Amino acid sequence: MRKFVFFGGKGGVGKTTMSSAYAVKCARAGVSTLLVSTDPAHSTRDVFDQSFTDTPEPVEDEPNLDAMEIDPETEVREHLMETKRALGEQVSPAMVNEIDRQIEMAHQTPGAHESALFDRFIDVMRDSDQYDRIVFDTSPTGGTLRLLSLPEYLDGWIQRLLHKRKQSVKLFERAAIGNNEPRRMMEGDPIIARLEQRRDDFNFAKEMLQSQAAFFLVVNPDELSIRETKRAVEQLDDYGLDVRGLAVNRLTPEPDPDEQGRGATFLRNRVKTEQERLRELREDLSPPLVAAIETRVAEVKGDFLGEVADEIEVGVELTTN
C-alpha cells in the first residue's frame, strides 16, 4: 500500500467510518499513521469521541495513530490574507484598498475553498516524514474531484501567467535607458518567483498523487451511490490517479432461516436487491471490492470500529509502487 491513502465517495456513505477504520488497522499493525479529515462535517471527532485541531494530535488509546481536522473556512481566510499581504508588497499604497475589496470578493468565488485547502493539503504531504502512512477522509465526491483536479488545471494557468509576466518585464527592459536595473528586476522579480513556487507546488502534488497515492471509493448498495461512484472512477482515471478498490458500506444483514413475518420478508428482499447491486459493481467497474460492511446496531466507534477495520481487505504493508 502506498503512503497516501484517500477514501472518497458520495456524501453520507460512510467515508469517515472507512477511513478511520483503515487508519486504526494500520496503526494496530505497527504502522505510524496520521488520519487527516478534509470534510467540513468533521465526523472524525465523533468516531473517536475526541476533539481534534488542524495540527496532528495523538488518538486516545490508539498507539501509532494521530489525527487532525483541516477547517476549509479557516484555510480560505489564511490563504486570502497571505495573498493580500503578498500583493500589498507589490503595489502602490493607492491600490491597497482596491486589493482589499477584490480579496473580500474572492472569498466567496467558486474554487476559493479548493485552492486554499489544496495549499494545506500540500503542506501535509511535504511535512509527512514522521509518518509511514497518511489516510485522508475527504469531502463528498464533487468537492474532492475539484480539489484533485487543481494540479491539472492550474498548471497551465500558471504557465500562462508566467509567460505574460516575463513578456511584461522584457518590454520594460527594452524601454529602459542606461544601467542594468531592469535586468536585476527580471532576475529577482517577486511575482515571477511566487508564480514559479506555485508551479513547483502543483507539480509536487501531481507527482505525489500519481505515484504515491491510492484511492478507495466508499459506496452504499443503492442506485444513486453506484452511479456517482462510476462517474468518480472515470474522472479519477482521467486524472491518472490509482483507484485501488471499492468499499461497500451499510449492507443489510440477512435474517436467520427460521425468522418469518413482515420484517424478515422485507430484509430478505432488501438483501436480494443489494446482492444485485454488488454484482453490478463487480461487473461494471474494474476496481475490486475490498470491503462489504453490514449495518451495525449502533454508531461505528469503539469495538465496532475495530470490527470494521478487520473486515477491510486492504493491506497495510509499505510500498512505493
Side-chain angles (χ1 to χ4, degrees):
M1 184 48 55
R2 292 178 169 181
K3 178 168 185 173
F4 304 106
V5 178
F6 291 77
F7 284 85
K10 188 176 181 292
V13 295
K15 297 182 297 297
T16 300
T17 297
M18 291 297 178
S19 57
S20 299
Y22 180 67
V24 166
K25 184 183 183 79
C26 292
R28 291 181 180 178
V31 178
S32 177
T33 303
L34 173 63
L35 174 62
V36 182
S37 172
T38 62
D39 188 343
H42 288 322
S43 300
T44 308
R45 62 185 63 189
D46 299 321
V47 171
F48 294 103
D49 285 327
Q50 179 182 347
S51 296
F52 299 104
T53 66
D54 65 348
T55 57
E57 299 176 29
V59 175
E60 297 172 359
D61 301 321
E62 290 293 347
N64 299 318
L65 179 59
D66 291 352
M68 62 184 290
E69 294 178 338
I70 298 176
D71 180 14
E73 189 62 32
T74 299
E75 295 303 323
V76 169
R77 287 197 300 269
E78 293 181 357
H79 177 77
L80 293 179
M81 286 300 296
E82 169 60 20
T83 302
K84 183 190 296 187
R85 183 197 63 77
L87 288 173
E89 295 174 352
Q90 310 302 324
V91 301
S92 65
M95 289 292 294
V96 171
N97 288 338
E98 178 62 20
I99 286 176
D100 288 346
R101 190 177 74 86
Q102 294 292 335
I103 290 294
E104 288 303 316
M105 292 172 59
H107 187 279
Q108 302 300 328
T109 57
H113 279 69
E114 286 82 3
S115 181
L117 192 58
F118 202 78
D119 282 352
R120 188 73 176 94
F121 178 78
I122 292 173
D123 290 340
V124 170
M125 290 195 293
R126 284 193 190 279
D127 300 333
S128 63
D129 289 346
Q130 72 182 96
Y131 298 102
D132 297 320
R133 172 141 309 122
I134 314 292
V135 180
F136 289 91
D137 171 26
T138 68
S139 58
T141 308
T144 299
L145 290 174
R146 288 194 298 272
L147 180 70
L148 297 176
S149 70
L150 286 179
E152 190 73 27
Y153 290 116
L154 292 188
D155 178 64
W157 179 68
I158 288 175
Q159 294 288 12
R160 289 192 293 273
L161 287 178
L162 272 170
H163 177 69
K164 293 294 183 183
R165 178 62 180 176
K166 289 178 179 180
Q167 277 189 323
S168 176
V169 173
K170 285 181 180 179
L171 290 174
F172 180 78
E173 287 180 338
R174 290 173 184 172
I177 299 175
N179 60 30
N180 293 326
E181 182 65 26
R183 172 59 62 186
R184 291 199 298 273
M185 176 187 146
M186 166 71 93
E187 293 173 350
D189 180 59
I191 295 178
I192 290 177
R194 187 171 179 82
L195 289 171
E196 288 177 339
Q197 180 60 54
R198 295 292 285 170
R199 179 195 60 196
D200 293 344
D201 286 344
F202 286 126
N203 287 339
F204 166 81
K206 184 176 181 179
E207 170 64 21
M208 289 297 99
L209 290 172
Q210 292 182 339
S211 66
Q212 297 293 328
F215 295 81
F216 294 89
L217 293 173
V218 183
V219 56
N220 290 163
D222 62 74
E223 188 173 350
L224 291 179
S225 180
I226 290 173
R227 285 184 179 180
E228 184 163 321
T229 300
K230 290 179 178 179
R231 291 192 293 268
V233 169
E234 291 177 359
Q235 288 181 272
L236 291 170
D237 284 343
D238 289 343
Y239 298 148
L241 303 179
D242 182 15
V243 183
R244 288 284 181 95
L246 309 174
V248 183
N249 191 33
R250 296 188 181 136
L251 288 166
T252 302
E254 188 167 6
D256 293 334
D258 59 344
E259 291 186 69
Q260 303 299 323
R262 182 180 179 186
T265 299
F266 169 81
L267 290 176
R268 289 191 181 92
N269 289 336
R270 180 64 190 167
V271 169
K272 181 180 179 181
T273 299
E274 291 176 357
Q275 290 302 313
E276 293 174 356
R277 301 285 186 240
L278 291 178
R279 186 161 49 252
E280 180 182 351
L281 284 172
R282 291 189 178 98
E283 292 176 354
D284 294 352
L285 294 174
S286 56
L289 266 60
V290 298
I293 309 300
E294 289 188 350
T295 300
R296 263 51 180 185
V297 296
E299 291 77 13
V300 178
K301 58 174 63 176
D303 292 340
F304 281 150
L305 189 63
E307 290 177 8
V308 172
D310 292 338
E311 293 178 28
I312 299 176
E313 297 178 1
V314 177
V316 298
E317 296 81 5
L318 304 178
T319 178
T320 57
N321 297 321

